[in-house]
Amino acid sequence: MSRHVDTPRTALVLGGSSDIALAALRRLARDGLERAVLALRDPERDTERLTAAVPGVQTSFVRWDANEPDTHQQLVHDAAATLGTIDVVLCAVGMLGHHAGVTMAPSEVDEMIRTNLAGPAAALAAAADHLCAQGHGTIVVLSSVAGVRPRKSNYVYGATKAGLDAFALGLADAARTRGVAVIVVRPGFVRSKMTVGLPPAPFATDPATVGDAIATAVARGRSATVWVPPHLGPLFTVFRWLPAPVWRRVAGDR
Ligand SMILES: NC(=O)c1ccc[n+]([C@@H]2O[C@H](COP(=O)([O-])OP(=O)(O)OC[C@H]3O[C@@H](n4cnc5c(N)ncnc54)[C@H](OP(=O)(O)O)[C@@H]3O)[C@@H](O)[C@H]2O)c1
C-alpha cells in the first residue's frame, strides 16, 4: 500500500511552465509544499515569471525536454539531489497542436505521440523507479477527457492521452505495494495557454480549479482518478458507450 507522507514538502514538475502545474504548486504551497524542481524546455526564458508564479516555494529550474529519453534518469537523480526526497512528481507535459486530426502530417502525429505519450511515460518510469526505491511518493499525471472518447477534431491528442492514462492506471497498480500512489487527472477544457484562441467547451474550468483538485487528491495520499469538474466522470462514462452516430451529434464540430 502507498505510504502516505502527511504533508508533501517537495515536488518535481515535468513540464514546469504548465499553467495547470503552477496552479497546483500554488495550492500545494498552501498545504505545506516548500521546494520544487521545475523541469522545462527553456528555463532561461521563464525563470522570473515562474518564480513569481509560485510565491513561497523555493524553485530550482532544470532544462529538460520530454523528447530526449536518455535524460530522464539523470533528471530524476539531479532532482533528488536538490530536493532530498521527492514527495510529489507532477507530469504536466503536453501539446494540443493545431487541434486537428485528419489534416495532421505524419511528422506532426509522430511529434505529438512522442511529446504527450512516449516521452512522459518514459520519464514517469524513471520517476516511479526512484519513488519506489525511496518507499514513498505521489505521482500526478495530467490525462484528459479527450482520451476517453475520441473526437474527429482531436483524436491524435485523444489517443496520446488514452495511452498515457492507461500507462498511469497500470503504474498505480504496479507501485501500490511499494509505497507510491498515482493520481490520474482527467480535466475537460481548461482555460490555459494551451487553449488560447479556442472557444471554450461546455463545463470549461481554469487552472486554479484543476490545481485545487490535484492538491485535494494528493492530500488523501491514495491512488485515484480525478475528473475536473467531477460531473464529467459520469458524463463521459455514458459518452464512452454511445453509438457512433449519437456521439458524432453530441461532439458536433468539436
Ligand atoms: N488546457 C486544457 O484544456 C487541458 C485539458 C485536459 C488536460 N490537459 C493537460 O494538462 C497538462 C498541462 O496543460 P496546461 O493546460 O497547463 O497547458 P500548458 O500551460 O500549455 O502546459 C503544457 C506544458 O507542456 C510543456 N511541453 C510541451 N512539450 C514539451 C516537451 N517536449 N518537453 C517538455 N515540456 C514540454 C510546455 O512547455 P513550453 O512552455 O516549453 O511549451 C508547457 O509547459 C497537459 O498534459 C495537457 O495535455 C490540458
Side-chain angles (χ1 to χ4, degrees):
M1 298 293 285
S2 67
R3 189 162 67 77
H4 183 39
V5 172
D6 287 339
T7 304
R9 305 275 181 208
T10 61
L12 166 62
V13 183
L14 307 172
S17 57
S18 144
D19 287 345
I20 291 175
L22 295 170
L25 289 183
R26 280 194 290 277
R27 173 55 212 281
L28 285 165
R30 278 185 12 223
D31 296 349
L33 188 83
E34 294 167 355
R35 288 173 296 133
V37 169
L38 307 187
L40 67 164
R41 287 189 288 193
D42 192 352
E44 286 77 23
R45 183 192 67 188
D46 277 338
T47 308
E48 263 180 50
R49 180 180 73 84
L50 297 177
T51 306
V54 281
V57 180
Q58 189 185 320
T59 44
S60 313
F61 300 90
V62 180
R63 205 206 74 77
W64 173 77
D65 190 315
N67 292 330
E68 294 172 1
D70 292 346
T71 65
H72 299 334
Q73 255 169 342
Q74 190 64 46
L75 169 72
V76 175
H77 181 270
D78 292 349
T82 302
L83 298 172
T85 58
I86 305 175
D87 295 334
V88 176
V89 175
L90 169 56
C91 179
V93 177
M95 63 179 291
L96 193 56
H98 51 80
H99 201 257
V102 80
T103 57
M104 284 176 74
S107 60
E108 292 174 313
V109 173
D110 175 66
E111 186 193 3
M112 191 172 281
I113 290 173
R114 283 188 291 109
T115 303
N116 289 0
L117 172 55
L124 287 169
D129 202 33
H130 183 86
L131 265 50
C132 287
Q134 183 182 265
H136 82 273
T138 301
I139 295 173
V140 181
V141 180
L142 264 304
S143 176
S144 168
V145 298
V148 178
R149 180 91 197 233
R151 291 187 275 115
K152 67 178 179 185
S153 64
N154 74 347
Y155 60 85
V156 181
Y157 176 79
T160 63
K161 288 301 185 183
L164 188 65
D165 195 293
F167 177 90
L169 291 175
L171 179 60
D173 285 347
R176 200 177 72 89
T177 55
R178 307 284 303 279
V180 176
V182 180
I183 295 163
V184 180
V185 187
R186 293 180 185 152
F189 188 104
V190 184
R191 294 181 206 87
S192 71
K193 69 179 185 291
M194 176 175 278
T195 54
V196 166
L198 295 174
F203 314 117
T205 57
D206 50 32
T209 304
V210 186
D212 280 351
I214 289 172
T216 301
V218 168
R220 289 198 184 108
R222 292 191 302 272
S223 290
T225 301
V226 177
W227 302 80
V228 190
H231 68 264
L232 290 184
L235 202 57
F236 269 82
T237 303
V238 173
F239 285 170
R240 179 175 199 146
W241 301 111
L242 285 178
V246 181
W247 170 242
R248 280 197 291 274
R249 276 209 297 280
V250 171
D253 285 332
R254 298 200 58 80

